[in-house]
Amino acid sequence: MVTAQQCVAQRGRFTLVASGGSTPQPLYRLLATLPFAHRMPWSQTHLFWGDERCVTADHPDSNYRLVKEELLAQGLLPTANIHRMVGEIPAATGAANYEEELRNFFVSHGDEAITWPVFDLILLGLGSDGHTASLFPNSSALNEKTKWVTATPPGVLAPQVHRLTLTLPVLNNSAEVIFLVAGAKKKTLVEQIISHRQGQAEYPAGYIKPQGKLHWYIAEV
Ligand code: 6PG
């Protein structure tokens, strides 16, 4: 909340990347209700997605749909500030289009010569296989060093559909990253990831080492 207000005070905008999955659902709902709906500078917030399943926007597996139902339906953000990943077109096209949208956004907001975008805050989840966003174990997407957005084939976890995902250089160029994790089983996984900070990471989430701040919030539900 404070980060958002500080960003708006400094640059007149707050760029927030929503996580997929179900864990952040209560957070989106909370931020859409009083008093947080008024404390968040939603009218100056630009909302993006860290990844999306290649399904229609109204599909039960759509990451956009979850955020729409819990947050966007309240009409707090201007439509132009909602930057949806389009999952219902061929994945490679969807990835290229989203990258173009990101480049246009950051260039039009004064970041002409950037190599990588700097999002103010990126929310991430953690899969039980150690994936984050849609960067799955052993995926070639983990080695992507030039694209901002890429398409990935289905992972082993449901839903097994093609995905669009921000790449590691983009995620690691963020000013701040918050992992939201729920479940005792994942707590052990988080401990392994956090303790394994040197050398080759064991899990994709272990490659998240942002230039900015990194926080882990774990609910042992
Ligand atoms: C996705 C997500 C993915 C998710 C984790 C955790 O589209 O699947 O972005 O990275 O955050 O799999 O999902 P849950 O919060 O549902 O456990």
Side-chain angles (χ1 to χ4, degrees):
M1 200 80 61
V2 173
T3 299
Q5 291 159 350
Q6 285 169 339
C7 290
V8 168
Q10 287 163 12
R11 288 195 309 280
R13 76 170 199 250
F14 174 55
T15 52
L16 172 62
V17 175
S19 164
S22 56
T23 300
Q25 186 171 6
L27 173 66
Y28 297 144
R29 184 176 304 161
L30 186 69
L31 290 175
T33 52
L34 294 176
F36 301 104
H38 286 174
R39 289 184 192 165
M40 267 294 289
W42 285 123
S43 58
Q44 294 105 319
T45 295
H46 282 267
L47 185 63
F48 303 84
W49 273 257
D51 69 318
E52 184 54 279
R53 290 84 179 266
C54 291
V55 296
T56 55
D58 58 356
H59 190 283
D61 288 334
S62 166
N63 288 332
Y64 166 80
R65 172 177 160 170
L66 184 141
V67 177
K68 180 181 177 187
E69 287 175 348
E70 299 300 342
L71 172 62
L72 304 182
Q74 306 306 321
L76 297 166
L77 283 84
T79 306
N81 290 23
I82 300 168
H83 305 273
R84 175 175 84 94
M85 283 184 168
V86 178
E88 59 269 31
I89 58 180
T93 307
N97 290 357
Y98 201 66
E99 177 157 336
E100 185 179 356
E101 177 163 354
L102 294 183
R103 287 181 185 278
N104 292 338
F105 173 82
F106 282 96
V107 166
S108 65
H109 286 77
D111 299 329
E112 285 80 11
I114 56 170
T115 305
W116 303 106
V118 180
F119 287 104
D120 295 316
L121 176 59
I122 296 181
L123 301 177
L124 289 175
L126 176 68
S128 56
D129 60 352
H131 84 263
T132 192
S134 284
L135 298 168
F136 295 105
N138 309 311
S139 166
S140 58
L142 290 167
N143 303 313
E144 180 55 58
K145 297 286 188 277
T146 53
K147 291 179 184 172
W148 291 13
V149 187
T150 193
T152 65
V156 296
L157 299 179
Q160 290 190 303
V161 295
H162 281 78
R163 312 284 190 98
L164 307 180
T165 186
L166 297 183
T167 57
L168 276 177
V170 172
L171 298 175
N172 282 328
N173 210 51
S174 175
E176 187 168 4
V177 172
I178 294 179
F179 272 99
L180 300 172
V181 183
K185 281 185 186 171
K186 288 186 183 177
K187 180 172 180 289
T188 308
L189 184 56
V190 170
E191 288 164 352
Q192 283 178 274
I193 291 167
I194 291 178
S195 60
H196 190 94
R197 298 298 292 164
Q198 302 306 322
Q200 187 82 355
E202 199 175 344
Y203 299 100
Y207 288 103
I208 302 299
K209 299 172 183 173
Q211 62 164 357
K213 292 177 271 186
L214 174 60
H215 307 280
W216 288 85
Y217 290 99
I218 306 148
E220 286 188 68
V221 289

